[in-house]
Amino acid sequence: MARVTVINDSSEFLDLMRDLLASLGHEMIGFEAVESSIEQIVDSRPDLLIVDLRLQDTPQVMSGWELLVLARSHRHLLSVPVILCSADTWELSKRAADLEEIAGVHVRTKPFDMDDMCDLITRLLDEPQPTRLPA
């Protein structure tokens, strides 16, 4: 059983992902917001991160982009694969070049095909990952 951390400001999306991940035999840790510290994510010890690009727009809550950048610079999350989700295709296209430079990030636009998402999650969790440092 893998541990998947999902960050999305929609409780409906979190419920959907909890059901999907449970059907695949995985555990989900969900956050509607991550406030000022990546440590919440580190403490969840994820094997996979699923992050919404556009999270609550408040100063104390990190955006999905900020979270992605911090995850890729944190020694405990560096090798964790990330699925970046968003309905904001304009923002995704604006960041396309940056996303190509960031290793281990896979983009899915919302709404996504459920079979495609299941296949991607399974593939990412089945791929050998570099050894992770203990938390």
Side-chain angles (χ1 to χ4, degrees):
M1 174 189 294
R3 181 175 292 142
V4 180
T5 299
V6 180
I7 303 98
N8 194 294
D9 55 6
S10 164
S11 60
E12 292 86 9
F13 184 84
L14 291 173
D15 290 342
L16 171 72
M17 293 308 297
R18 184 170 282 107
D19 291 344
L20 183 144
L21 290 164
S23 76
L24 295 173
H26 303 303
E27 176 186 5
M28 185 189 110
I29 294 91
F31 296 103
E32 285 192 39
V34 176
E35 295 184 7
S36 70
S37 171
I38 194 78
E39 295 310 314
Q40 286 176 271
I41 307 304
V42 172
D43 290 345
S44 73
R45 301 180 58 80
D47 298 302
L48 172 67
L49 286 171
I50 300 176
V51 180
D52 188 1
L53 181 64
R54 310 252 328 164
L55 296 171
Q56 297 174 11
D57 191 15
T58 59
Q60 68 273 19
V61 174
M62 278 194 270
S63 72
W65 183 254
E66 290 168 321
L67 197 144
L68 175 63
V69 170
L70 286 174
R72 279 299 169 253
S73 64
H74 196 286
R75 67 187 191 114
H76 294 295
L77 299 174
L78 183 61
S79 64
V80 175
V82 176
I83 300 174
L84 186 66
C85 298
S86 184
D88 189 343
T89 55
W90 183 83
E91 184 72 18
L92 284 173
S93 66
K94 185 174 93 172
R95 297 194 183 271
D98 294 328
L99 287 166
E100 287 180 17
E101 298 294 319
I102 303 174
V105 177
H106 306 268
V107 177
R108 291 298 181 268
T109 56
K110 293 181 194 171
F112 48 78
D113 179 81
M114 294 299 280
D115 290 334
D116 175 61
M117 181 61 87
C118 288
D119 291 346
L120 178 60
I121 289 168
T122 300
R123 182 171 51 86
L124 292 175
L125 291 172
D126 286 348
E127 287 178 356
Q129 300 299 320
T131 303
R132 298 202 183 114
L133 299 170

